[in-house]
Amino acid sequence: MKSFVIKNLPRFQLTLRSSLLYTNHRPSSRFSLSTRLFTTGATYIRRGKATAEQRHKCAAVNSNDVIRNRNKKNRGLVVSLNDTVSNILATEADSVTDVIIVGAGVSGAALAHTLGKARRRVHVIERDLSEQDRIVGELLQPGGYLKLIELGLEDCVKKIDAQRVLGYVLFKDGKHTKLAYPLETFDSDVAGRSFHNGRFVQRMREKAATLSNVRLEQGTVTSLLEENGTIKGVRYRTKEGNELRSFAPLTIVCDGCFSNLRRSLCKPKVDRLSTFVGLVLENCELPFANHGHVVLADPSPILMYPISSSEVRCLVDVPGQKVPPIGNGEMAKYLKTRVAPQVPTEVREAFITAVEKGNVRTMPNRSMPADPIPTPGALLLGDAFNMRHPLTGGGMTVALADIVVLRDLLKPIRNLNDKEALSKYIESFYTLRKPVASTINTLADALYKVFLASSDEARMEMREACFDYLSLGGVCSSGPVALLSGLNPRPLSLVLHFFAVVIYAVGRLMLPFPSIKSFWLGARIISSAASIIFPIMKAEGVRQMFFPRTIAAIYRTPPSQ
Ligand SMILES: Cc1cc2nc3c(=O)[nH]c(=O)nc-3n(C[C@H](O)[C@H](O)[C@H](O)COP(=O)(O)OP(=O)(O)OC[C@H]3O[C@@H](n4cnc5c(N)ncnc54)[C@H](O)[C@@H]3O)c2cc1C
């Protein structure tokens, strides 16, 4: 059997058996234009299994551009199929692809491997298969690592110079407090991991591509194909500019935080909270090895953690919608004069050197509660579906936890063309994922607001109390850290700790003797805390978060096989 090497995966070249279809990467002379234009038919032709009828259908599709654009404005990038052709396509596609995955980032790559291992025929379409250099998704919480193990992907954090993370250190006004992950009851291998996101994703893509039933293709999905309210597949553009279509009974959209395709599958309420300014610090040692560092700076937190044995990622939060422009030097000035004096002295020089080197990147920090529009044949996953502030590094943990839930739910469905069963399982997915996802989301957004510096005395009292509460140790630190790390993401525990901080903040104002001023400040702290947490919980869905059993769902737990 022949092998093909995908050349645009420089770090981990993917070697694929010739039975897989890689339209983009094949010597074009070996394939006719129609073969390259319609991948589904092409698979058959390539394998020499195409019947005359199938060849005919394939040609018919290529010669008929029957896609109409209906309600594009209101529905997002969704186009409708002409009935006749879609029937032909359904017959073709049913026998070839079970699941189309849009995007092979953290979610898409992990999902491709997971569904491939479950013997689904998967077609992954990813815009850029080369190794990305990004400032996102670089710290995987231990809870996320446990999910990686459940998915059999833990080896993807090996051989990429990933660093073990054992907890956090919080810095505030010259003081610091160490918060260890509660890992005592776990295997010694379990810990957080920090790494270059691109290396991690590339390892997962590589692993998915080793499965003969996973087809990884470089292309940009431009729209979802819909017929009578059911998503039938996608339309995409290859690297060479060819417009192709792919069809499957289930399309899972994992196109990340800037998703163009989410609009028809959810009601996106995106809130831009702040911006992370990312730098890489070289040749320096963090004050506490193997720990994430969070500085409660003014106006907002600074994060640091190792991403390799010689590099430290520094993410400076800039609140609001705007950041100082990079081009005219204002950003460098801001970082040197306002931020540098607040970073720990051990890394200050490396911080200034990194600013002067000029490799400064920015990324918006956005929050978006999951609000799906249940649509037969399609599903959103990852940041396309749900986002939270990245302060707590929860995004990958939520995505991987969702994949575990989805994998278990889909297991009993042998035929994904059974639309009714598929829709019911997918609806159960929205309910089953909620307690874990909404706990991590609520904690991230609430903690970010608590950690912001403010001119409001009540907010500053709350910030101070939160730092002191976490410094108390025992359950006061292990409880919140278990939530943050994804080791024990329970909504009730989150609410208890949040209000324990509020009571602690108010209680100490009353000592040694309460005064009218302290009563008034205490009332403002309570009101301010409520104004932080209740809107987030409302957006997440109080009922789904705390009382998922009251929501109609066909399965409360993944059905036994
Ligand atoms: C600044 C910042 C820092 C973060 N840090 C952390 C952290 O430390 N830890 C953590 O757990 N989370 C972190 N997150 C969140 C984390 O990055 C995301 O939750 C995670 O990457 C989501 O994975 P995803 O697969 O949904 O999206 P992505 O990983 O972004 O993948 C999306 C993929 O889809 C592809 N794509 C997009 N459009 C198309 C298209 N039309 N057709 C084909 N392919 C397409 C893209 O090329 C990309 O490969 C951070 C987020 C931000 C903003």
Side-chain angles (χ1 to χ4, degrees), residues 102-108 125-128 134-140 197 205 219-221 254-257 261 276 305 315 363-365 381-384 388 390 393-397:
V102 181
V106 175
S107 322
I125 306 167
E126 161 58 45
R127 191 172 49 194
D128 187 354
R134 310 175 68 196
I135 65 168
V136 308
E138 294 176 314
L139 194 155
L140 180 67
N197 173 277
R205 289 174 178 176
T220 301
V221 173
C254 311
D255 60 346
C257 60
L261 301 167
F276 262 156
Y305 43 82
L315 294 170
M363 192 68 194
N365 294 329
L381 214 69
D383 276 14
R388 75 294 311 148
M396 294 191 290
T397 300

mmCIF file of all heavy atoms in Angstrom, residues 102-108 125-128 134-140 197 205 219-221 254-257 261 276 305 315 363-365 381-384 388 390 393-397, ligand 1:
data_model
loop_
_atom_site.group_PDB
_atom_site.id
_atom_site.type_symbol
_atom_site.label_atom_id
_atom_site.label_comp_id
_atom_site.label_asym_id
_atom_site.label_seq_id
_atom_site.Cartn_x
_atom_site.Cartn_y
_atom_site.Cartn_z
ATOM 1 N N VAL A 102 -15.961 20.252 11.137
ATOM 2 C CA VAL A 102 -15.430 21.503 10.591
ATOM 3 C C VAL A 102 -14.420 22.067 11.591
ATOM 4 O O VAL A 102 -14.790 22.417 12.711
ATOM 5 C CB VAL A 102 -16.549 22.544 10.350
ATOM 6 C CG1 VAL A 102 -15.969 23.823 9.755
ATOM 7 C CG2 VAL A 102 -17.633 21.972 9.472
ATOM 8 N N GLY A 103 -13.160 22.122 11.206
ATOM 9 C CA GLY A 103 -12.116 22.653 12.085
ATOM 10 C C GLY A 103 -11.405 21.541 12.827
ATOM 11 O O GLY A 103 -12.052 20.667 13.414
ATOM 12 N N ALA A 104 -10.074 21.566 12.752
ATOM 13 C CA ALA A 104 -9.283 20.578 13.503
ATOM 14 C C ALA A 104 -8.388 21.305 14.485
ATOM 15 O O ALA A 104 -7.169 21.186 14.464
ATOM 16 C CB ALA A 104 -8.478 19.705 12.551
ATOM 17 N N GLY A 105 -9.017 22.118 15.335
ATOM 18 C CA GLY A 105 -8.293 22.725 16.450
ATOM 19 C C GLY A 105 -8.358 21.757 17.622
ATOM 20 O O GLY A 105 -8.429 20.538 17.429
ATOM 21 N N VAL A 106 -8.389 22.309 18.838
ATOM 22 C CA VAL A 106 -8.420 21.439 20.025
ATOM 23 C C VAL A 106 -9.629 20.503 19.976
ATOM 24 O O VAL A 106 -9.499 19.277 20.086
ATOM 25 C CB VAL A 106 -8.455 22.301 21.317
ATOM 26 C CG1 VAL A 106 -8.604 21.430 22.540
ATOM 27 C CG2 VAL A 106 -7.210 23.174 21.417
ATOM 28 N N SER A 107 -10.821 21.064 19.760
ATOM 29 C CA SER A 107 -12.029 20.225 19.779
ATOM 30 C C SER A 107 -12.091 19.316 18.564
ATOM 31 O O SER A 107 -12.333 18.111 18.705
ATOM 32 C CB SER A 107 -13.309 21.072 19.779
ATOM 33 O OG SER A 107 -13.186 22.198 20.536
ATOM 34 N N GLY A 108 -11.916 19.888 17.379
ATOM 35 C CA GLY A 108 -12.084 19.111 16.145
ATOM 36 C C GLY A 108 -11.116 17.949 16.060
ATOM 37 O O GLY A 108 -11.501 16.831 15.691
ATOM 38 N N ILE A 125 -12.529 18.807 7.889
ATOM 39 C CA ILE A 125 -12.102 19.865 6.966
ATOM 40 C C ILE A 125 -11.528 20.998 7.815
ATOM 41 O O ILE A 125 -12.229 21.587 8.642
ATOM 42 C CB ILE A 125 -13.282 20.373 6.110
ATOM 43 C CG1 ILE A 125 -13.944 19.180 5.393
ATOM 44 C CG2 ILE A 125 -12.799 21.411 5.093
ATOM 45 C CD1 ILE A 125 -15.275 19.498 4.769
ATOM 46 N N GLU A 126 -10.251 21.242 7.638
ATOM 47 C CA GLU A 126 -9.543 22.241 8.455
ATOM 48 C C GLU A 126 -8.905 23.289 7.534
ATOM 49 O O GLU A 126 -8.264 22.965 6.551
ATOM 50 C CB GLU A 126 -8.479 21.541 9.317
ATOM 51 C CG GLU A 126 -7.379 22.427 9.873
ATOM 52 C CD GLU A 126 -7.856 23.592 10.748
ATOM 53 O OE1 GLU A 126 -8.717 23.388 11.603
ATOM 54 O OE2 GLU A 126 -7.353 24.731 10.549
ATOM 55 N N ARG A 127 -9.080 24.541 7.929
ATOM 56 C CA ARG A 127 -8.599 25.666 7.117
ATOM 57 C C ARG A 127 -7.091 25.653 6.926
ATOM 58 O O ARG A 127 -6.578 25.973 5.871
ATOM 59 C CB ARG A 127 -9.039 26.968 7.813
ATOM 60 C CG ARG A 127 -8.871 28.198 7.007
ATOM 61 C CD ARG A 127 -9.507 29.373 7.705
ATOM 62 N NE ARG A 127 -9.110 29.469 9.111
ATOM 63 C CZ ARG A 127 -9.712 30.224 10.003
ATOM 64 N NH1 ARG A 127 -10.757 30.945 9.650
ATOM 65 N NH2 ARG A 127 -9.296 30.275 11.245
ATOM 66 N N ASP A 128 -6.371 25.282 7.996
ATOM 67 C CA ASP A 128 -4.912 25.338 7.913
ATOM 68 C C ASP A 128 -4.322 24.152 8.676
ATOM 69 O O ASP A 128 -4.355 24.123 9.908
ATOM 70 C CB ASP A 128 -4.430 26.667 8.516
ATOM 71 C CG ASP A 128 -2.943 26.875 8.306
ATOM 72 O OD1 ASP A 128 -2.274 25.954 7.798
ATOM 73 O OD2 ASP A 128 -2.446 27.969 8.657
ATOM 74 N N ARG A 134 -0.038 30.107 18.266
ATOM 75 C CA ARG A 134 -1.132 30.889 18.842
ATOM 76 C C ARG A 134 -0.852 31.187 20.312
ATOM 77 O O ARG A 134 -0.005 30.551 20.926
ATOM 78 C CB ARG A 134 -2.446 30.100 18.735
ATOM 79 C CG ARG A 134 -2.697 29.567 17.353
ATOM 80 C CD ARG A 134 -3.934 28.708 17.317
ATOM 81 N NE ARG A 134 -5.138 29.495 17.528
ATOM 82 C CZ ARG A 134 -6.316 28.963 17.838
ATOM 83 N NH1 ARG A 134 -6.434 27.675 18.027
ATOM 84 N NH2 ARG A 134 -7.377 29.723 17.992
ATOM 85 N N ILE A 135 -1.601 32.140 20.853
ATOM 86 C CA ILE A 135 -1.405 32.435 22.279
ATOM 87 C C ILE A 135 -2.561 31.859 23.100
ATOM 88 O O ILE A 135 -2.708 32.161 24.266
ATOM 89 C CB ILE A 135 -1.232 33.951 22.556
ATOM 90 C CG1 ILE A 135 -2.521 34.737 22.225
ATOM 91 C CG2 ILE A 135 -0.056 34.512 21.788
ATOM 92 C CD1 ILE A 135 -2.491 36.175 22.766
ATOM 93 N N VAL A 136 -3.384 31.035 22.476
ATOM 94 C CA VAL A 136 -4.547 30.469 23.190
ATOM 95 C C VAL A 136 -4.287 29.000 23.539
ATOM 96 O O VAL A 136 -3.429 28.351 22.939
ATOM 97 C CB VAL A 136 -5.839 30.571 22.355
ATOM 98 C CG1 VAL A 136 -6.076 31.969 21.871
ATOM 99 C CG2 VAL A 136 -5.808 29.598 21.171
ATOM 100 N N GLY A 137 -5.061 28.492 24.501
ATOM 101 C CA GLY A 137 -5.064 27.052 24.799
ATOM 102 C C GLY A 137 -3.690 26.492 25.105
ATOM 103 O O GLY A 137 -3.282 25.499 24.513
ATOM 104 N N GLU A 138 -2.999 27.122 26.044
ATOM 105 C CA GLU A 138 -1.646 26.658 26.358
ATOM 106 C C GLU A 138 -1.539 26.026 27.736
ATOM 107 O O GLU A 138 -0.498 25.472 28.075
ATOM 108 C CB GLU A 138 -0.660 27.831 26.239
ATOM 109 C CG GLU A 138 -0.535 28.330 24.799
ATOM 110 C CD GLU A 138 0.340 29.545 24.666
ATOM 111 O OE1 GLU A 138 0.185 30.488 25.467
ATOM 112 O OE2 GLU A 138 1.186 29.582 23.765
ATOM 113 N N LEU A 139 -2.587 26.154 28.545
ATOM 114 C CA LEU A 139 -2.538 25.494 29.864
ATOM 115 C C LEU A 139 -3.760 24.590 30.003
ATOM 116 O O LEU A 139 -4.893 25.071 30.010
ATOM 117 C CB LEU A 139 -2.494 26.528 30.988
ATOM 118 C CG LEU A 139 -2.097 25.992 32.367
ATOM 119 C CD1 LEU A 139 -1.508 27.087 33.237
ATOM 120 C CD2 LEU A 139 -3.232 25.322 33.125
ATOM 121 N N LEU A 140 -3.496 23.315 30.062
ATOM 122 C CA LEU A 140 -4.590 22.344 30.219
ATOM 123 C C LEU A 140 -4.703 22.003 31.701
ATOM 124 O O LEU A 140 -3.738 21.535 32.320
ATOM 125 C CB LEU A 140 -4.282 21.081 29.398
ATOM 126 C CG LEU A 140 -5.322 19.966 29.459
ATOM 127 C CD1 LEU A 140 -6.627 20.392 28.800
ATOM 128 C CD2 LEU A 140 -4.796 18.705 28.778
ATOM 129 N N ASN A 197 0.338 25.490 22.055
ATOM 130 C CA ASN A 197 -0.956 24.972 21.581
ATOM 131 C C ASN A 197 -0.828 24.270 20.229
ATOM 132 O O ASN A 197 -1.376 23.192 20.020
ATOM 133 C CB ASN A 197 -1.954 26.146 21.502
ATOM 134 C CG ASN A 197 -3.266 25.752 20.857
ATOM 135 O OD1 ASN A 197 -3.394 25.719 19.639
ATOM 136 N ND2 ASN A 197 -4.248 25.426 21.681
ATOM 137 N N ARG A 205 -3.960 15.898 15.683
ATOM 138 C CA ARG A 205 -4.280 15.713 14.256
ATOM 139 C C ARG A 205 -3.541 14.489 13.723
ATOM 140 O O ARG A 205 -4.111 13.659 13.004
ATOM 141 C CB ARG A 205 -3.835 16.940 13.454
ATOM 142 C CG ARG A 205 -4.678 18.172 13.695
ATOM 143 C CD ARG A 205 -4.067 19.350 12.961
ATOM 144 N NE ARG A 205 -4.856 20.565 13.125
ATOM 145 C CZ ARG A 205 -4.506 21.745 12.654
ATOM 146 N NH1 ARG A 205 -3.365 21.890 11.998
ATOM 147 N NH2 ARG A 205 -5.275 22.795 12.839
ATOM 148 N N GLY A 219 -9.152 22.712 3.869
ATOM 149 C CA GLY A 219 -10.170 23.448 3.130
ATOM 150 C C GLY A 219 -10.909 24.374 4.070
ATOM 151 O O GLY A 219 -10.881 24.182 5.287
ATOM 152 N N THR A 220 -11.555 25.388 3.508
ATOM 153 C CA THR A 220 -12.315 26.318 4.337
ATOM 154 C C THR A 220 -13.800 26.105 4.081
ATOM 155 O O THR A 220 -14.258 26.234 2.945
ATOM 156 C CB THR A 220 -11.933 27.776 3.991
ATOM 157 O OG1 THR A 220 -10.535 27.916 4.210
ATOM 158 C CG2 THR A 220 -12.686 28.779 4.838
ATOM 159 N N VAL A 221 -14.502 25.769 5.138
ATOM 160 C CA VAL A 221 -15.946 25.560 4.983
ATOM 161 C C VAL A 221 -16.614 26.920 4.856
ATOM 162 O O VAL A 221 -16.406 27.820 5.678
ATOM 163 C CB VAL A 221 -16.513 24.757 6.179
ATOM 164 C CG1 VAL A 221 -18.032 24.686 6.114
ATOM 165 C CG2 VAL A 221 -15.902 23.358 6.187
ATOM 166 N N CYS A 254 -16.745 22.876 14.654
ATOM 167 C CA CYS A 254 -15.767 23.220 15.703
ATOM 168 C C CYS A 254 -14.843 24.302 15.139
ATOM 169 O O CYS A 254 -13.627 24.132 15.138
ATOM 170 C CB CYS A 254 -14.909 22.021 16.081
ATOM 171 S SG CYS A 254 -15.774 20.514 16.422
ATOM 172 N N ASP A 255 -15.410 25.379 14.612
ATOM 173 C CA ASP A 255 -14.559 26.364 13.931
ATOM 174 C C ASP A 255 -14.099 27.501 14.843
ATOM 175 O O ASP A 255 -13.687 28.560 14.353
ATOM 176 C CB ASP A 255 -15.231 26.876 12.643
ATOM 177 C CG ASP A 255 -16.568 27.545 12.909
ATOM 178 O OD1 ASP A 255 -17.085 27.387 14.027
ATOM 179 O OD2 ASP A 255 -17.103 28.210 12.012
ATOM 180 N N GLY A 256 -14.157 27.274 16.153
ATOM 181 C CA GLY A 256 -13.486 28.152 17.092
ATOM 182 C C GLY A 256 -14.200 29.451 17.427
ATOM 183 O O GLY A 256 -15.357 29.668 17.059
ATOM 184 N N CYS A 257 -13.473 30.325 18.141
ATOM 185 C CA CYS A 257 -14.108 31.510 18.736
ATOM 186 C C CYS A 257 -14.622 32.508 17.695
ATOM 187 O O CYS A 257 -15.550 33.257 17.964
ATOM 188 C CB CYS A 257 -13.159 32.173 19.716
ATOM 189 S SG CYS A 257 -11.614 32.717 18.995
ATOM 190 N N LEU A 261 -19.947 30.001 11.240
ATOM 191 C CA LEU A 261 -21.034 29.069 10.925
ATOM 192 C C LEU A 261 -22.016 28.897 12.077
ATOM 193 O O LEU A 261 -23.042 28.249 11.914
ATOM 194 C CB LEU A 261 -20.438 27.701 10.552
ATOM 195 C CG LEU A 261 -19.474 27.719 9.361
ATOM 196 C CD1 LEU A 261 -18.704 26.406 9.271
ATOM 197 C CD2 LEU A 261 -20.234 27.958 8.068
ATOM 198 N N PHE A 276 -6.287 39.834 25.852
ATOM 199 C CA PHE A 276 -5.009 39.355 26.386
ATOM 200 C C PHE A 276 -3.904 39.810 25.443
ATOM 201 O O PHE A 276 -4.004 39.621 24.223
ATOM 202 C CB PHE A 276 -4.993 37.831 26.490
ATOM 203 C CG PHE A 276 -5.295 37.297 27.868
ATOM 204 C CD1 PHE A 276 -5.795 36.005 28.030
ATOM 205 C CD2 PHE A 276 -5.047 38.051 29.010
ATOM 206 C CE1 PHE A 276 -6.072 35.494 29.293
ATOM 207 C CE2 PHE A 276 -5.320 37.546 30.277
ATOM 208 C CZ PHE A 276 -5.835 36.268 30.414
ATOM 209 N N TYR A 305 2.904 31.376 32.822
ATOM 210 C CA TYR A 305 3.151 29.947 33.033
ATOM 211 C C TYR A 305 4.135 29.467 31.979
ATOM 212 O O TYR A 305 4.235 30.063 30.888
ATOM 213 C CB TYR A 305 1.850 29.126 32.995
ATOM 214 C CG TYR A 305 0.894 29.507 31.895
ATOM 215 C CD1 TYR A 305 1.062 29.033 30.613
ATOM 216 C CD2 TYR A 305 -0.173 30.371 32.145
ATOM 217 C CE1 TYR A 305 0.191 29.390 29.596
ATOM 218 C CE2 TYR A 305 -1.046 30.739 31.128
ATOM 219 C CZ TYR A 305 -0.852 30.247 29.860
ATOM 220 O OH TYR A 305 -1.707 30.608 28.857
ATOM 221 N N LEU A 315 0.549 36.609 29.746
ATOM 222 C CA LEU A 315 -0.678 37.176 29.175
ATOM 223 C C LEU A 315 -1.111 38.342 30.063
ATOM 224 O O LEU A 315 -1.413 38.159 31.250
ATOM 225 C CB LEU A 315 -1.784 36.131 29.114
ATOM 226 C CG LEU A 315 -1.566 34.946 28.154
ATOM 227 C CD1 LEU A 315 -2.626 33.865 28.367
ATOM 228 C CD2 LEU A 315 -1.573 35.400 26.697
ATOM 229 N N MET A 363 -5.273 39.022 21.650
ATOM 230 C CA MET A 363 -6.391 38.108 21.391
ATOM 231 C C MET A 363 -7.572 38.571 22.250
ATOM 232 O O MET A 363 -7.408 38.789 23.461
ATOM 233 C CB MET A 363 -5.924 36.705 21.817
ATOM 234 C CG MET A 363 -6.775 35.577 21.401
ATOM 235 S SD MET A 363 -6.747 35.313 19.628
ATOM 236 C CE MET A 363 -8.159 34.224 19.519
ATOM 237 N N PRO A 364 -8.748 38.739 21.655
ATOM 238 C CA PRO A 364 -9.902 39.166 22.478
ATOM 239 C C PRO A 364 -10.359 38.060 23.433
ATOM 240 O O PRO A 364 -10.341 36.884 23.063
ATOM 241 C CB PRO A 364 -10.984 39.462 21.428
ATOM 242 C CG PRO A 364 -10.593 38.683 20.225
ATOM 243 C CD PRO A 364 -9.093 38.562 20.246
ATOM 244 N N ASN A 365 -10.721 38.463 24.635
ATOM 245 C CA ASN A 365 -11.260 37.507 25.615
ATOM 246 C C ASN A 365 -12.774 37.656 25.623
ATOM 247 O O ASN A 365 -13.292 38.700 26.021
ATOM 248 C CB ASN A 365 -10.702 37.793 27.004
ATOM 249 C CG ASN A 365 -9.209 37.546 27.051
ATOM 250 O OD1 ASN A 365 -8.697 36.687 26.339
ATOM 251 N ND2 ASN A 365 -8.497 38.309 27.870
ATOM 252 N N LEU A 381 -19.568 22.668 18.746
ATOM 253 C CA LEU A 381 -18.715 22.212 19.846
ATOM 254 C C LEU A 381 -17.540 23.181 20.017
ATOM 255 O O LEU A 381 -17.144 23.856 19.066
ATOM 256 C CB LEU A 381 -18.191 20.817 19.515
ATOM 257 C CG LEU A 381 -18.001 19.866 20.693
ATOM 258 C CD1 LEU A 381 -19.340 19.446 21.278
ATOM 259 C CD2 LEU A 381 -17.258 18.610 20.235
ATOM 260 N N GLY A 382 -16.964 23.194 21.203
ATOM 261 C CA GLY A 382 -15.795 24.040 21.455
ATOM 262 C C GLY A 382 -16.180 25.510 21.549
ATOM 263 O O GLY A 382 -17.311 25.841 21.912
ATOM 264 N N ASP A 383 -15.247 26.378 21.199
ATOM 265 C CA ASP A 383 -15.493 27.817 21.335
ATOM 266 C C ASP A 383 -16.578 28.321 20.393
ATOM 267 O O ASP A 383 -17.146 29.389 20.622
ATOM 268 C CB ASP A 383 -14.200 28.598 21.074
ATOM 269 C CG ASP A 383 -13.334 28.670 22.321
ATOM 270 O OD1 ASP A 383 -13.597 27.907 23.266
ATOM 271 O OD2 ASP A 383 -12.393 29.497 22.358
ATOM 272 N N ALA A 384 -16.847 27.601 19.338
ATOM 273 C CA ALA A 384 -17.927 28.013 18.441
ATOM 274 C C ALA A 384 -19.260 27.952 19.186
ATOM 275 O O ALA A 384 -20.192 28.680 18.879
ATOM 276 C CB ALA A 384 -17.972 27.082 17.233
ATOM 277 N N ARG A 388 -15.816 31.354 27.623
ATOM 278 C CA ARG A 388 -15.730 31.988 28.929
ATOM 279 C C ARG A 388 -14.385 32.721 28.983
ATOM 280 O O ARG A 388 -13.505 32.475 28.142
ATOM 281 C CB ARG A 388 -15.859 30.993 30.101
ATOM 282 C CG ARG A 388 -14.681 30.105 30.403
ATOM 283 C CD ARG A 388 -14.323 29.094 29.382
ATOM 284 N NE ARG A 388 -15.422 28.293 28.900
ATOM 285 C CZ ARG A 388 -15.526 27.805 27.693
ATOM 286 N NH1 ARG A 388 -14.562 28.020 26.791
ATOM 287 N NH2 ARG A 388 -16.538 27.081 27.314
ATOM 288 N N PRO A 390 -10.663 33.474 29.550
ATOM 289 C CA PRO A 390 -9.602 32.459 29.675
ATOM 290 C C PRO A 390 -8.724 32.578 30.924
ATOM 291 O O PRO A 390 -7.760 31.822 31.055
ATOM 292 C CB PRO A 390 -8.765 32.678 28.405
ATOM 293 C CG PRO A 390 -9.051 34.050 27.963
ATOM 294 C CD PRO A 390 -10.399 34.429 28.469
ATOM 295 N N GLY A 393 -8.187 29.288 32.411
ATOM 296 C CA GLY A 393 -7.755 28.232 31.479
ATOM 297 C C GLY A 393 -8.731 27.069 31.450
ATOM 298 O O GLY A 393 -8.343 25.909 31.588
ATOM 299 N N GLY A 394 -10.011 27.380 31.249
ATOM 300 C CA GLY A 394 -11.026 26.319 31.312
ATOM 301 C C GLY A 394 -11.524 25.842 29.952
ATOM 302 O O GLY A 394 -12.203 24.811 29.871
ATOM 303 N N GLY A 395 -11.190 26.561 28.881
ATOM 304 C CA GLY A 395 -11.796 26.289 27.578
ATOM 305 C C GLY A 395 -11.552 24.873 27.066
ATOM 306 O O GLY A 395 -12.485 24.191 26.616
ATOM 307 N N MET A 396 -10.305 24.425 27.139
ATOM 308 C CA MET A 396 -10.002 23.090 26.606
ATOM 309 C C MET A 396 -10.635 22.004 27.477
ATOM 310 O O MET A 396 -11.062 20.966 26.977
ATOM 311 C CB MET A 396 -8.487 22.892 26.506
ATOM 312 C CG MET A 396 -7.839 23.810 25.487
ATOM 313 S SD MET A 396 -6.133 23.375 25.142
ATOM 314 C CE MET A 396 -5.312 23.819 26.661
ATOM 315 N N THR A 397 -10.705 22.265 28.790
ATOM 316 C CA THR A 397 -11.318 21.275 29.689
ATOM 317 C C THR A 397 -12.801 21.111 29.351
ATOM 318 O O THR A 397 -13.309 19.984 29.270
ATOM 319 C CB THR A 397 -11.130 21.711 31.161
ATOM 320 O OG1 THR A 397 -9.727 21.792 31.411
ATOM 321 C CG2 THR A 397 -11.766 20.747 32.140
HETATM 322 C C1 LIG B 1 -6.218 34.446 24.845
HETATM 323 C C2 LIG B 1 -6.773 33.107 25.157
HETATM 324 C C3 LIG B 1 -6.065 32.230 25.959
HETATM 325 C C4 LIG B 1 -6.587 30.976 26.250
HETATM 326 N N1 LIG B 1 -5.894 30.144 27.082
HETATM 327 C C5 LIG B 1 -6.417 28.951 27.421
HETATM 328 C C6 LIG B 1 -5.737 28.079 28.301
HETATM 329 O O1 LIG B 1 -4.645 28.366 28.765
HETATM 330 N N2 LIG B 1 -6.317 26.898 28.602
HETATM 331 C C7 LIG B 1 -7.528 26.520 28.082
HETATM 332 O O2 LIG B 1 -8.027 25.437 28.383
HETATM 333 N N3 LIG B 1 -8.195 27.331 27.236
HETATM 334 C C8 LIG B 1 -7.668 28.521 26.891
HETATM 335 N N4 LIG B 1 -8.330 29.316 26.011
HETATM 336 C C9 LIG B 1 -9.540 28.808 25.371
HETATM 337 C C10 LIG B 1 -9.125 27.765 24.326
HETATM 338 O O3 LIG B 1 -8.172 28.309 23.463
HETATM 339 C C11 LIG B 1 -10.330 27.311 23.544
HETATM 340 O O4 LIG B 1 -11.351 26.921 24.428
HETATM 341 C C12 LIG B 1 -10.009 26.148 22.615
HETATM 342 O O5 LIG B 1 -8.956 26.467 21.760
HETATM 343 C C13 LIG B 1 -11.256 25.819 21.819
HETATM 344 O O6 LIG B 1 -10.960 24.872 20.835
HETATM 345 P P1 LIG B 1 -11.761 24.892 19.456
HETATM 346 O O7 LIG B 1 -11.377 23.647 18.769
HETATM 347 O O8 LIG B 1 -13.182 25.181 19.689
HETATM 348 O O9 LIG B 1 -11.178 26.142 18.676
HETATM 349 P P2 LIG B 1 -9.759 26.302 18.029
HETATM 350 O O10 LIG B 1 -8.737 25.564 18.826
HETATM 351 O O11 LIG B 1 -9.582 27.758 17.846
HETATM 352 O O12 LIG B 1 -9.897 25.578 16.617
HETATM 353 C C14 LIG B 1 -10.723 26.042 15.593
HETATM 354 C C15 LIG B 1 -10.183 25.448 14.287
HETATM 355 O O13 LIG B 1 -11.139 25.652 13.263
HETATM 356 C C16 LIG B 1 -10.462 26.050 12.093
HETATM 357 N N5 LIG B 1 -11.430 26.791 11.292
HETATM 358 C C17 LIG B 1 -11.995 27.980 11.570
HETATM 359 N N6 LIG B 1 -12.886 28.315 10.622
HETATM 360 C C18 LIG B 1 -12.871 27.303 9.720
HETATM 361 C C19 LIG B 1 -13.584 27.063 8.516
HETATM 362 N N7 LIG B 1 -14.481 27.925 8.057
HETATM 363 N N8 LIG B 1 -13.325 25.929 7.831
HETATM 364 C C20 LIG B 1 -12.417 25.017 8.277
HETATM 365 N N9 LIG B 1 -11.718 25.203 9.422
HETATM 366 C C21 LIG B 1 -11.949 26.329 10.132
HETATM 367 C C22 LIG B 1 -9.292 26.885 12.575
HETATM 368 O O14 LIG B 1 -8.256 26.948 11.622
HETATM 369 C C23 LIG B 1 -8.896 26.123 13.840
HETATM 370 O O15 LIG B 1 -7.921 25.135 13.573
HETATM 371 C C24 LIG B 1 -7.834 30.589 25.715
HETATM 372 C C25 LIG B 1 -8.551 31.470 24.906
HETATM 373 C C26 LIG B 1 -8.040 32.717 24.635
HETATM 374 C C27 LIG B 1 -8.837 33.653 23.787
#
